[in-house]
Amino acid sequence: MAGRGVRGRRGVGVWVRRATGRDAKRLTRMVRSSRAYEGPHAAMVAGYRVGPDYIEAHEVYVAVEGGGEASGANGGVGERVLGFYALVLEPPELDLMFVADEAQGAGIGRLLIAHMREVARSAGIESVRVVSHPPAEGFYRSVGARRTGTVAANPPAVMWDRPEMTIVVGEEEGEG
């Protein structure tokens, strides 16, 4: 799927491109340093790794600033990674989605969800399961996700219950 772009805050292009193995360290760093997982939530991402093998096995895409579509799958010299998502196709699940702390509120999450819907639609998927970090539930609802249940805590890695949601692929944000 070709890059989907928007204009960033200062007119700089923000694009979504397929992740490569060269992105693995940056994506791992984004997960481990996310402010959303500080304090009691830190155990869930401590030691977490997004490896080249994971990137190769799943639909992983990154939102980048700079470089534009021309950077393609080169792993982006001069690019700044603003966020990423990982879509597992079977069964369909949004396995990971992170937006860099400094990029939150700039529309990167919405861009990634719109792109994820395109990828899922192209794969013939009608809906995507999301097991949300509790503080992110409001975001997912704002892009049309519907709450379907609760996934119970699974100590020691996950010490809290998490909302289970569904994103209907054919709907746009806010339709749910």
Side-chain angles (χ1 to χ4, degrees):
M1 171 111 349
R4 176 185 173 111
V6 297
R7 283 299 194 201
R9 284 182 279 208
R10 286 155 292 190
V12 176
V14 176
W15 302 96
V16 178
R17 65 164 173 79
R18 184 76 188 244
T20 69
R22 292 173 52 189
D23 293 311
K25 287 182 182 177
R26 290 192 284 185
L27 302 186
T28 296
R29 192 169 29 253
M30 186 177 295
V31 169
R32 289 183 184 177
S33 67
S34 173
R35 283 193 310 248
Y37 287 89
E38 291 178 332
H41 299 126
M44 187 166 177
V45 296
Y48 198 92
R49 177 181 168 268
V50 180
D53 53 337
Y54 180 88
I55 291 170
E56 185 177 313
H58 302 294
E59 298 287 320
V60 182
Y61 291 86
V62 294
V64 295
E65 181 178 56
E69 282 187 291
S71 66
N74 295 333
V77 175
E79 290 179 342
R80 185 168 71 116
V81 175
L82 301 176
F84 77 98
Y85 75 89
L87 176 64
V88 174
L89 296 177
E90 188 57 44
E93 182 169 355
L94 182 63
D95 189 38
L96 297 170
M97 184 167 152
F98 282 82
V99 173
D101 293 335
E102 68 276 6
Q104 291 188 10
I108 304 302
R110 291 182 184 284
L111 175 66
L112 290 169
I113 290 293
H115 189 275
M116 183 274 304
R117 278 187 160 115
E118 288 180 13
V119 171
R121 190 177 297 116
S122 294
I125 294 170
E126 295 179 9
S127 65
V128 175
R129 178 179 187 240
V130 178
V131 178
S132 175
H133 183 47
E137 181 178 4
F139 166 75
Y140 287 114
R141 285 181 180 262
S142 78
V143 296
R146 296 183 184 125
R147 178 105 184 225
T148 56
T150 301
V151 175
N154 185 16
V158 183
M159 302 299 288
W160 58 92
D161 292 346
R162 293 166 292 157
E164 181 176 29
M165 310 178 90
T166 297
I167 295 175
V168 177
V169 171
E171 294 178 357
E172 295 305 317
E173 63 185 62
E175 286 186 30

